[in-house]
Amino acid sequence: MPRPRRAVPAWLAHPFRWQRQPVPWAAVARGTLCAGPLLAAGIATGHPAPGVLTALGSMLAGVNDRPGTRRTGIVHIGLPALAAALGMLLGASLRAADAGWWVVPALSAVGFVSGAGSVAGPVRSTAGMQMLAATVLGAGMPLPGAPWAKALYVLAGCLWLLLLRLVLRSPSPAGGPLSGERAALATVFDALADALAAVGGPGAEPARRRLTAALDRADEALRLRRLTSRLLRRPARPEELLLAERFAAATTLCEASVALLWEARPLPARVAAGPRRFAEALRTGRSPGRLSAPERSSAARGAFDHALLDAAVAFARERPLPPATTREDLPPARAGGVRGALGPTGRDYGLRVAVCIGASAAVALLLRADHWYWLPATVTFLVKPDLGPLFSRTVNRFAGTAAGVLVFAAAGTWLTGGWWPAVIAGAGGALLPFATRHFALQTGAITLMVLSFVYVGGARQAAAERIVDTSLACAIVLVVGHLPHLADPRRRVGPRVTEALRSTERFLRYVLEPRPAAPGAEGAAPGAVATRRLALRRDAYRTLAQARAAAETAAAEFHPARDPGPDWPTVVTAAERIVDAATACAVRLDRGAHRPGPEEAERLCQALSAMADALEDPGRRPPGTPPPVLRPVPDCATLTDVAAELERLRGYAGAR
């Protein structure tokens, strides 16, 4: 009898994972016109140092050149660009002052600030990493020029790519200045149609997560649009208000679709045709056409058809409704920014970055004082947990660096003249947007570009040293990254899961709290209540998505100890199902279902809050002894499901 095959451990399989996504041809064209031409201009004019610095700035900006609207591109590229320029100013000032060994504590301090600030969000995380990388390169690369001039050159390279971003864009749907926002909203309707097609199948929950991600991206795009209007002190244009109304209709449709997903009854194909018509209308500017006939086989189906009708009205309207004055659509305030950076997670991550950078800089200065910057620069990218599990990052970093060094060495053998590094840099810039699919491929593209910069800067024989430096950097990060205090995933993942549970509890409490009788035969919730509920639901799903990303990364980490810790992905999945069930409950309550009594509602909310307290402080006992007993709720099946999911969640969270 053959032996059963053992599954490959997650930490060993993760380095081979490959993200599937469309090729961003517009970003490829922008990458081709950035680093290579800027480096070639420096070579042609006899000023290689400015060419290297501007090409370096464009490379750092190219890492952040992701799909999105013009305004999201300005934020995602512009903020890290300012951080990179600041880092170059700090690093070049250290080099100009001939700091010597004082560069080690200086880089450690910058590493702590960079790491601590990285917990405040993805854009700040990228900005912190690029500030640290630019500081290391500015302190180590032997390029002439004043520190302020070097910083301006780096900023100019970033702004060059940002300018290309505003000029070279992907084909956009109709809508003029709002084309990017319309494209983002069209993606929401496409994801909604995919989710409806997956109802009742195994891909229902992943489809709901993709729908939530698309909704968050569209929400970010519209929020940046409104922020721009406020900064320019101009009133919102009618087309902006119309698009906001269509986004509100999309969020209502998404809520009803979550209720359909929870019912898990396969839907006819015509149900998904309506959202696809809305997506096509946004892309072409034409009318969505006829929609499917309504059906009231269940409360969720009736709510969906009612929301579909409201969306059709919003698409048919030529003038926007008067803007609402309520601020109930704002999500609840969460710990972030400076508060998050000064919290335990920020301090732990900042300490890990500081120790890794300080150790790598000290080792590099001992080995080679002339070209020491490669080792701490490599550590800068390795120590960042957003790029994947630690073991996977080190394996892919070494493989990508080795491949890049071999390709660069082969190009140097075959090509002659002083212009070929610019060609290699241009090829790396063109490959960089595509290389986001895999960390090793991205590392290879960056290695090609940096080796081109170093070659033009005067270090002609530095390629072979990069493999040795990368090996040492991987060893340092592996050792420091597995120290008991700094490597505990509970300290990194636990706060995100706890915040996700608290957001889930806020949404559940708002759904279950008593309300005055709603007007109308259908019993629909008043506008302000529905808007607030949708905002709380989006906030719950958003924090759950962040917790899931951190949990999946922690699950793929290599754990030397026997105890891997809590099953974080299962905890997040149970919390997501609670939000799904609460959403279905909200839809049924709007349609006249039995509302639970205050005592039962408070018991459910207290149980979820107690689990968040227990995860936040394992030694803390949940309030109340014994813990709340969760019983089925009469005439409200979805709340019975909520109680069942809470029991499952209690079991997973309690296995610490």
Side-chain angles (χ1 to χ4, degrees):
M1 181 176 180
R3 294 182 179 180
R5 299 179 60 183
R6 297 182 63 183
V8 179
W11 63 270
L12 196 57
H14 192 277
F16 301 97
R17 292 183 183 177
W18 183 277
Q19 295 182 8
R20 296 183 179 181
Q21 54 190 12
V23 179
W25 294 111
V28 170
R30 291 191 293 267
T32 306
L33 298 176
C34 277
L38 292 174
L39 189 61
I43 296 172
T45 58
H47 297 86
V52 168
L53 291 170
T54 53
L56 174 64
S58 68
M59 182 196 74
L60 294 175
V63 176
N64 307 317
D65 190 7
R66 304 296 176 85
T69 66
R70 290 183 298 174
R71 285 167 178 79
T72 56
I74 291 174
V75 173
H76 293 171
I77 296 175
L79 183 60
L82 294 174
L86 176 61
M88 179 58 66
L89 179 63
L90 294 174
S93 299
L94 289 173
R95 184 172 183 84
D98 195 14
W101 279 91
W102 284 104
V103 74
V104 175
L107 290 180
S108 298
V110 175
F112 181 83
V113 174
S114 170
S118 296
V119 303
V123 178
R124 294 181 179 90
S125 177
T126 303
M129 181 187 67
Q130 294 196 354
M131 181 183 72
L132 180 57
T135 303
V136 172
L137 294 175
M141 291 185 70
L143 295 175
W148 62 267
K150 293 181 180 181
L152 288 180
Y153 283 133
V154 170
L155 185 60
C158 297
L159 294 179
W160 170 247
L161 185 134
L162 191 57
L163 177 62
L164 291 177
R165 166 90 182 219
L166 300 177
V167 175
L168 298 179
R169 303 170 57 202
S170 302
S172 301
L178 286 172
S179 58
E181 287 79 5
R182 291 172 69 95
L185 186 53
T187 304
V188 172
F189 283 107
D190 281 334
L192 174 59
D194 294 339
L196 293 171
V199 169
E205 288 191 7
R208 198 269 304 148
R209 296 187 191 110
R210 292 191 293 270
L211 172 60
T212 301
L215 197 64
D216 288 341
R217 288 192 294 269
D219 188 19
E220 180 189 19
L222 292 176
R223 282 175 180 270
L224 287 175
R225 185 83 191 189
R226 293 195 296 268
L227 177 61
T228 303
S229 299
R230 288 197 294 268
L231 292 177
L232 296 177
R233 297 182 180 274
R234 67 168 177 82
R237 298 189 178 98
E239 57 269 21
E240 295 175 356
L241 296 177
L242 278 174
L243 194 62
E245 292 179 8
R246 294 172 182 179
F247 175 76
T251 57
T252 306
L253 269 173
C254 290
E255 182 181 60
S257 70
V258 171
L260 290 172
L261 286 169
W262 183 257
E263 289 184 349
R265 300 174 184 173
L267 301 172
R270 66 176 183 273
V271 177
R276 295 202 188 279
R277 288 178 179 272
F278 290 140
E280 187 65 21
L282 285 166
R283 293 190 173 96
T284 62
R286 296 193 294 266
S287 170
R290 299 180 61 183
L291 302 175
S292 60
E295 180 183 333
R296 301 180 183 273
S297 57
S298 67
R301 184 63 190 274
F304 178 82
D305 287 331
H306 190 275
L308 194 69
L309 178 61
D310 290 342
V313 172
F315 273 79
R317 190 180 295 118
E318 296 182 357
R319 293 184 179 181
L321 295 175
T325 57
T326 178
R327 296 180 59 86
E328 289 291 325
D329 59 334
L330 297 178
R334 300 196 307 270
V338 177
R339 291 179 58 191
L342 297 179
T345 305
R347 292 195 301 269
D348 288 351
Y349 181 43
L351 181 61
R352 178 162 35 147
V353 175
V355 172
C356 287
I357 290 295
S360 62
V363 171
L365 286 171
L366 285 173
L367 292 178
R368 53 180 70 90
D370 49 349
H371 298 101
W372 59 269
Y373 55 88
W374 186 276
L375 205 158
T378 301
V379 167
T380 299
F381 295 95
L382 281 176
V383 78
K384 191 170 186 291
D386 306 34
L387 302 177
L390 180 58
F391 180 80
S392 178
R393 293 199 305 271
T394 54
V395 170
N396 288 323
R397 180 73 186 185
F398 181 82
T401 301
V405 168
L406 292 176
V407 171
F408 187 84
T413 303
W414 296 335
L415 302 176
T416 58
W419 49 268
W420 66 269
V423 176
I424 299 299
L431 180 63
L432 194 57
F434 176 81
T436 55
R437 299 163 180 252
H438 197 273
F439 188 51
L441 187 59
Q442 186 181 37
T443 299
I446 293 176
T447 299
L448 287 174
M449 299 174 74
V450 174
L451 287 177
S452 301
F453 305 156
V454 171
Y455 187 92
V456 174
R460 302 299 175 90
Q461 305 296 328
E465 300 173 355
R466 305 311 175 203
I467 297 181
V468 177
D469 291 345
T470 301
S471 302
L472 291 173
C474 292
I476 291 173
V477 172
L478 281 174
V479 171
V480 176
H482 286 100
L483 291 177
H485 179 74
L486 299 181
D488 189 358
R490 293 179 180 88
R491 302 180 65 86
R492 188 171 71 251
V493 184
R496 291 188 179 274
V497 176
T498 300
E499 181 56 39
L501 292 181
R502 297 202 185 282
S503 298
T504 302
E505 188 264 338
R506 284 193 292 265
F507 173 63
L508 181 63
R509 184 177 298 276
Y510 196 80
V511 168
L512 299 182
E513 67 182 11
R515 308 236 184 270
E522 296 294 336
V529 172
T531 302
R532 176 65 173 174
R533 189 178 71 206
L534 292 174
L536 287 169
R537 182 177 62 83
R538 288 203 312 271
D539 186 66
Y541 278 136
R542 186 182 299 112
T543 55
L544 283 167
Q546 295 171 354
R548 172 170 290 279
E552 290 176 348
T553 299
E557 294 281 9
F558 172 68
H559 300 283
R562 290 287 182 180
D563 180 18
D567 188 0
W568 297 116
T570 307
V571 172
V572 175
T573 299
E576 287 175 340
R577 290 182 61 82
I578 289 174
V579 179
D580 293 345
T583 302
C585 176
V587 171
R588 293 187 179 187
L589 292 177
D590 288 347
R591 314 297 288 185
H594 168 75
R595 182 175 292 276
E599 294 182 359
E600 184 61 38
E602 185 63 24
R603 188 179 295 113
L604 291 171
C605 295
Q606 282 186 0
L608 189 55
S609 178
M611 281 178 280
D613 292 338
L615 284 177
E616 186 174 33
D617 184 3
R620 179 177 177 180
R621 294 181 59 85
T625 303
V629 178
L630 305 179
R631 297 185 295 269
V633 182
D635 302 327
C636 195
T638 51
L639 279 185
T640 300
D641 294 335
V642 170
E645 292 300 328
L646 280 169
E647 287 292 352
R648 292 180 58 204
L649 179 59
R650 176 183 294 166
Y652 294 130
R656 291 188 299 276

